[in-house]
Amino acid sequence: MNATRRDGTGITARPPRVLLRGSGDPGPAVVVYRLESGPHRQTGVVVEVSIDDYRGGRIRRHEATQPARVRELEEQAEATGVERMPVMLVHRGHLSIADITAETPTARLHDGGATHTVWIRRDEAGARALCDEIGRIGNLYIADGHHRMLAADRYAARRGLGSGHPSAYTLAALFPSDEMRILGYHRCFALAPGSTARDVLDRLAEHPLTERIEESPAADTEPGVVAIGVGDRWYRLRLRASGVLDAFAIEQELLPKLHDLTAAEADAAPGRQHAVETCWCDGRNAFRLIPHPPTIDQVLTTSDEGRPMPPKSTWFDPKPTAELFRRPLI
């Protein structure tokens, strides 16, 4: 089925050519995808979106990318000819899919601490109507998958096979913005030899942006308050009002003052960034900073303004899982 776009400013989408885990290509269909984690639930659709919309700024980003990770994903696409995970995109408003979730699911699995449920309705007319509805959306926003989106762009540029070829699109899961959940990202830092946690706390306390630091029984944050974890002890750093998001304050103001006290920033193991008791910092000569997460409206606003947020500013949870959907690129 051809992709549809309402006009020159709308999103171009088409029904996904996907191979669902354990089943074949359903042909033109509406694919509804629900993610659940604890009491949280978000329900969206899986479609193919045009790389041209990314190039034209209709699919907007909010974070910078790391070249090495993009190259790795490009090499995977070249080697396998398959996309294994959709980019997670956010849109304002809601799509007309509620009736489909009343049907028996096509697939359900538990992975990564979340439940993934998929409904596939083989309905060419319904799939076309859904893509028309998506075409009336002004913009989409990348929640998770900045590296995959850029890698897809570069793959398409190398192939240069035209707007109808699979490489001119990428697989995407679209969710309404008011159903998204953002957690505070744990930023873990190893201390340089000879540095101590007290050195870090003293340096932060002296910073003009710091109003006060106080001990806390837990990793407690709120707007304007950053949690600091040192061993098994927690502190609350209250920022002076500055008019900038907490993530920007950490990246642009606080961290530069600690560069001589830290040896490296490390990622926690996948899926463990927010489990305080199993964080990378545990048992190490290290500390962690946890900013209060931005709201989804703040993320979308920075995207609209073309101001990428600092690395590790957002952790959308839950996320799509790898290998549930597989989309051939050839």
Side-chain angles (χ1 to χ4, degrees), residues 81-97:
V82 173
E83 286 184 333
R84 302 174 184 273
M85 188 174 181
V87 175
M88 186 163 68
L89 304 179
V90 174
H91 60 88
R92 294 184 173 93
H94 287 257
L95 299 171
S96 305
I97 58 173

Side-chain angles (χ1 to χ4, degrees), residues 89-94 141 175-181 296-297 300 316:
L89 304 179
V90 174
H91 60 88
R92 294 184 173 93
H94 287 257
Y141 301 83
F175 294 96
S177 60
D178 62 0
E179 294 185 11
M180 303 303 288
R181 179 173 69 174
I296 185 63
D297 286 339
L300 300 192
F316 284 86

Side-chain angles (χ1 to χ4, degrees), residues 186-201:
H186 287 210
R187 302 195 64 175
C188 302
F189 299 85
L191 289 170
S195 298
T196 67
R198 176 48 56 185
D199 293 332
V200 171
L201 293 172

Side-chain angles (χ1 to χ4, degrees), residues 234-256:
W234 288 98
Y235 301 84
R236 286 166 51 93
L237 186 159
R238 182 170 294 280
L239 299 166
R240 297 186 189 278
S242 64
V244 302
L245 295 179
D246 295 358
F248 282 98
I250 288 176
E251 183 69 21
Q252 298 172 359
E253 297 290 338
L254 300 185
L255 289 181

